[in-house]
Amino acid sequence: MGRPRIDDAGLTKTMIYLNREIHQRLKHMAVDERVSMAELIRRAIDDFLRRHPSRSRRGLKR
């Protein structure tokens, strides 16, 4: 069990910097929802890209 390996889940590791307030709010929300902070960030990015499809496709090779 445990955490899925990054390469097994088809994920790429990246790093972001958050101010303390946002980090704390995200941390509390993750505890409340019983998911990881990373999962909340992935959900937020996915939601953003769905709402802005034309922006998310720029520069992608087809």
Side-chain angles (χ1 to χ4, degrees), residues 26-37:
L26 186 62
K27 189 174 181 179
H28 288 286
M29 184 180 235
V31 169
D32 291 346
E33 295 194 20
R34 296 182 176 163
V35 297
S36 68
M37 289 173 46

Side-chain angles (χ1 to χ4, degrees), residues 14-28:
T14 190
M15 184 188 308
I16 62 169
Y17 291 92
L18 303 172
N19 68 40
R20 285 187 182 113
E21 179 187 351
I22 290 173
H23 182 266
Q24 282 301 109
R25 290 174 63 194
L26 186 62
K27 189 174 181 179
H28 288 286

Side-chain angles (χ1 to χ4, degrees), residues 3-59:
R3 288 185 182 186
R5 289 180 26 168
I6 289 175
D7 57 347
D8 290 346
L11 302 175
T12 301
K13 185 176 180 178
T14 190
M15 184 188 308
I16 62 169
Y17 291 92
L18 303 172
N19 68 40
R20 285 187 182 113
E21 179 187 351
I22 290 173
H23 182 266
Q24 282 301 109
R25 290 174 63 194
L26 186 62
K27 189 174 181 179
H28 288 286
M29 184 180 235
V31 169
D32 291 346
E33 295 194 20
R34 296 182 176 163
V35 297
S36 68
M37 289 173 46
E39 177 61 22
L40 289 180
I41 292 167
R42 284 191 293 270
R43 290 177 186 177
I45 292 169
D46 188 51
D47 182 55
F48 177 86
L49 292 175
R50 265 196 313 262
R51 288 185 286 122
H52 300 89
S54 61
R55 288 185 189 175
S56 65
R57 294 179 191 210
R58 286 185 198 151

